Amino acid sequence: MRIVSLVPSQTELLHDLGLEDQIVGITKFCVHPYHYKSVKTMVGGTKQIKIEKIKALNPDIILCNKEENTKEIVEACQDICEVHVSELYTIEDTLKLISYYGERFNKRTNAEAINEKIKYKLQDFKKFIADKPKIKVAYFIWRKPWMVAAKNTFIDYMLTLNRFENIYGNLERYPEVDITKIQQEGDPEIVMLSSEPYPFKDEHAFEIGRVAHNPKTIFVDGELFSWYGSRLLKAFDYFKLLRERI
């Protein structure tokens, strides 16, 4: 089975399932594990692919995601071989995907082990977070234009799990927002600047601080809020530390 993965978080999951030798193509954003960039064929990004490179790899299956990849990419890949498109909004969705990969790629035992670890860490975290107060937050993913994570996203699901009340939770997906209206639209106690996909810096925190009502601005690990798959094994310890920081 020759696999091309066009989804960074799913590439990491495939590796952790023990499928390194079967992965033949990845995107330039597939940064985990680190050594893949020197031993695997890069076939473009998540939004723009080099279709001829993918064809040359002679894959048996191409793995996509509804949010990460465009409809045009999926359709182009379907002309090459079987394509599986994941769609995930919750941890339960993630557990199902891991089980599916376990079945599809004959790694059932590995998949079950990862799922059991995720479930254990999730239950432990729920006990930890249960008595923590709710905190109003805004989670920024982009600048020029300013964009946030809103409802019907994996990020919003993770914010809710952390008892963070998303002030933009009434909006859909990843809307553009006017930061000069941030007080009227929810007045967050915490502003989160994600490490991906935009490289936020201190100057951007100051920019929001000038128009907001004195929120605490923190830089957060975007992978641990938005990557599903085996990265969840690292997420809950990070969330505990994050609560202690704020």
Side-chain angles (χ1 to χ4, degrees):
M1 181 68 73
R2 295 170 62 79
I3 306 168
V4 168
S5 173
L6 302 182
V7 189
S9 56
Q10 292 173 196
T11 299
E12 180 182 45
L13 171 58
L14 294 171
H15 172 81
D16 291 342
L17 284 170
L19 292 160
E20 177 168 2
D21 292 342
Q22 292 169 244
I23 302 167
V24 295
I26 61 173
T27 76
K28 62 183 179 181
F29 301 114
C30 294
V31 295
H32 301 295
Y34 181 77
H35 71 277
Y36 273 23
K37 70 175 187 177
S38 57
V39 298
K40 302 297 179 184
T41 300
M42 300 283 182
V43 297
T46 54
K47 299 291 190 281
Q48 291 183 318
I49 59 171
K50 297 175 181 177
I51 198 71
E52 294 304 320
K53 266 196 169 185
I54 295 178
K55 286 180 182 177
L57 291 172
N58 193 28
D60 297 300
I61 188 169
I62 301 169
L63 303 179
C64 299
N65 174 263
K66 188 174 180 180
E67 183 171 288
E68 292 272 7
N69 311 121
T70 65
K71 182 181 178 183
E72 290 73 24
I73 283 177
V74 172
E75 290 174 346
C77 289
Q78 285 172 335
D79 290 335
I80 300 173
C81 66
E82 175 188 349
V83 176
H84 180 264
V85 183
S86 63
E87 184 174 7
L88 301 99
Y89 300 102
T90 68
I91 290 177
E92 187 60 35
D93 293 337
T94 296
L95 297 175
K96 289 178 181 177
L97 179 70
I98 294 171
S99 293
Y100 171 76
Y101 281 0
E103 290 286 334
R104 186 69 182 82
F105 303 121
N106 198 26
K107 294 290 182 178
R108 298 173 189 82
T109 302
N110 297 21
E112 186 176 335
I114 292 173
N115 275 350
E116 288 305 312
K117 288 177 185 176
I118 291 173
K119 289 176 186 176
Y120 174 81
K121 284 182 169 289
L122 174 60
Q123 290 308 312
D124 176 67
F125 180 72
K126 284 182 175 179
K127 292 175 185 175
F128 165 84
I129 203 71
D131 61 349
K132 300 296 187 290
K134 282 191 174 183
I135 301 174
K136 290 201 299 182
V137 304
Y139 189 105
F140 285 86
I141 62 163
W142 201 259
R143 178 180 175 272
K144 288 191 175 180
W146 289 97
M147 295 173 69
V148 295
K151 68 180 177 181
N152 293 326
T153 62
F154 194 78
I155 293 172
D156 186 62
Y157 171 87
M158 296 299 267
L159 290 174
T160 301
L161 183 64
N162 279 271
R163 293 181 64 80
F164 293 135
E165 182 183 339
N166 188 353
I167 70 164
Y168 296 110
N170 60 315
L171 303 178
E172 284 285 340
R173 307 288 292 156
Y174 302 104
E176 295 180 20
V177 297
D178 181 350
I179 61 169
T180 65
K181 296 179 180 177
I182 195 169
Q183 290 187 53
Q184 303 96 294
E185 293 178 342
D187 197 18
E189 301 163 72
I190 303 284
V191 167
M192 296 180 172
L193 300 181
S194 180
S195 62
E196 63 166 37
Y198 188 87
F200 287 108
K201 297 181 173 59
D202 287 341
E203 63 202 68
H204 306 130
F206 294 137
E207 193 174 344
I208 293 177
R210 285 194 291 269
V211 295
H213 186 247
N214 233 9
K216 183 174 184 178
T217 302
I218 58 176
F219 296 90
V220 296
D221 190 326
E223 291 178 1
L224 296 175
F225 273 99
S226 64
W227 280 36
Y228 28 82
S230 47
R231 181 125 302 239
L232 283 173
L233 294 171
K234 299 179 174 68
F236 302 112
D237 290 337
Y238 172 78
F239 293 152
K240 287 181 180 180
L241 292 174
L242 184 61
R243 266 287 171 165
E244 291 170 5
R245 275 176 57 198
I246 60 179

